[in-house]
Each structure stands twice: as C-alpha cells, then as structure tokens.
Amino acid sequence: MNVYYAKTALYAYSNLQTIASQIDDIVEKKALSSMNDYSLALTQCERIVEYTQQKDALFALKIRIEEVLDKLDFEQIDLIEYKYFKRKPKEYFEGFDFESRAYFRKQTKLISVVSELFEKSGTTDEWFESTCLKIDFFKELLKRTIAHEKSYSKKGIYKKPTTAKVTRDKMRLSA
C-alpha cells in the first residue's frame, strides 16, 4: 500500500467513529427533510445510500487498521500512538525520545512495515482509492498528509554546508 495512504489511514483512525456519527446525523436530517425536498424520491434515496456506503467504508477501514495494529509490538504501537493517534496523555510519553535521528528512522521503517501489513491484509492502493478516497474527509486528509511530508523534506534541502565542506570546496577552487 502506498505510504501516504497508510499514513492517511492512521491519522484518520482516531476520528472514524466521530465521522460515522456525523454521517448518521446527515442521513437523519436528509430523511426528515425529504418532505420539503422536491427532488425525485429515488435521487434522495440514492444520496442516503451513498452516505450509508461511506459509513460502511469507515468501519471496514477501522477493522483493517485494528488487524494491522494487532500484529505490531508494544514499541511500534507507542510510536504510532505518539505520531498518529495522540490519545494518550503527555505524561505517558515522558522520557520518550522523539527528537533523535533514531526516532525518525524508526518511524520511517515502521510506516513501511504498516504499509506491507495493509497490503497483505488486502488493503491495497486500489481498495483505498475506490473505498476511502470517495469520501471528502479522506481526500482532504491525504492532501494535508502529503503537504506535511513535503514541508519536512524541504527543510532538509536547505541546510547550510558545514565549515569543513566549505573549506574543501574553497581549496579545490584555489588549486
């Protein structure tokens, strides 16, 4: 599975129940206001069915994420919890190393493992695109995830060269 899709799914996980509740509210409002809506009854029913399918997609994704999480060890769960879910209090992560290069390497390796586990469980790019990306929430979250990643990669591009390298470059130019 595409790494960006896996990250988007993990970022969404904590909000899936809330989104499903919001869909329930929309469906209820659509059903109650149907007598004031002068569009065809079939069109109104199709909209309600679309919302119901979106809710089914949310629960299918939630089940797939939980299957993947069950295959991870405690350290990996903590890394995911810290970066994506943010459900645990800050005190839980006291002494947690989240600024070192090792932390970022672990996160990079972990998202690759999660992507592979998604792929093995049948959560492929095609499934995510046809099921989740039909929902506006996921489209927007994917855009934000990609933009967030690009902002981090840009920060690494504009590093100033070290003095040792500058000195070597100057020495080559003078020779």
Side-chain angles (χ1 to χ4, degrees):
M1 176 182 211
N2 181 326
V3 173
Y4 289 122
Y5 292 170
K7 288 180 179 188
T8 300
L10 291 174
Y11 280 126
Y13 179 72
S14 297
N15 299 308
L16 293 177
Q17 187 63 46
T18 304
I19 297 166
S21 297
Q22 290 173 351
I23 289 173
D24 284 342
D25 293 343
I26 291 170
V27 167
E28 184 179 350
K29 288 177 185 175
K30 292 274 185 199
L32 292 175
S33 68
S34 63
M35 66 182 154
N36 297 327
D37 187 353
Y38 297 109
S39 62
L40 295 173
L42 182 60
T43 305
Q44 293 178 40
C45 288
E46 287 172 347
R47 282 190 214 133
I48 290 173
V49 167
E50 284 176 28
Y51 284 118
T52 305
Q53 289 173 336
Q54 289 180 4
K55 186 176 171 185
D56 290 344
L58 295 175
F59 288 125
L61 180 62
K62 183 177 181 185
I63 289 168
R64 289 170 183 237
I65 292 170
E66 288 170 353
E67 287 173 355
V68 168
L69 294 177
D70 286 342
K71 296 175 182 171
L72 301 176
D73 63 32
F74 290 116
E75 181 185 14
Q76 292 171 324
I77 294 292
D78 281 345
L79 288 167
I80 286 177
E81 182 70 43
Y82 180 80
K83 182 169 183 176
Y84 298 100
F85 301 162
K86 302 191 186 303
R87 298 177 298 187
K88 293 185 178 177
K90 288 183 180 181
E91 295 80 36
Y92 180 84
F93 295 105
E94 218 168 90
F96 190 73
D97 177 25
F98 55 86
E99 292 181 350
S100 71
R101 295 174 114 191
Y103 165 77
F104 290 104
R105 283 189 201 116
K106 286 178 186 178
Q107 283 289 2
T108 302
K109 184 179 176 187
L110 179 57
I111 198 62
S112 296
V113 168
V114 168
S115 295
E116 277 183 37
L117 290 172
F118 271 129
E119 192 75 34
K120 287 177 184 175
S121 72
T123 310
T124 61
D125 291 345
E126 295 79 23
W127 182 88
F128 190 82
E129 290 165 0
S130 66
T131 307
C132 298
L133 288 181
K134 288 183 178 180
I135 302 170
D136 292 335
F137 171 79
F138 283 101
K139 288 178 191 174
E140 185 62 30
L141 186 58
L142 178 61
K143 285 180 194 174
R144 290 177 186 226
T145 301
I146 292 170
H148 179 73
E149 290 293 317
K150 286 184 179 181
S151 73
Y152 271 108
S153 65
K154 283 184 181 177
K155 289 178 184 175
I157 292 172
Y158 297 108
K159 288 183 180 175
K160 292 182 179 179
T162 61
T163 55
K165 185 175 180 188
V166 171
T167 307
R168 278 190 305 234
D169 290 341
K170 285 181 182 177
M171 287 172 39
R172 269 192 231 132
L173 290 174
S174 63

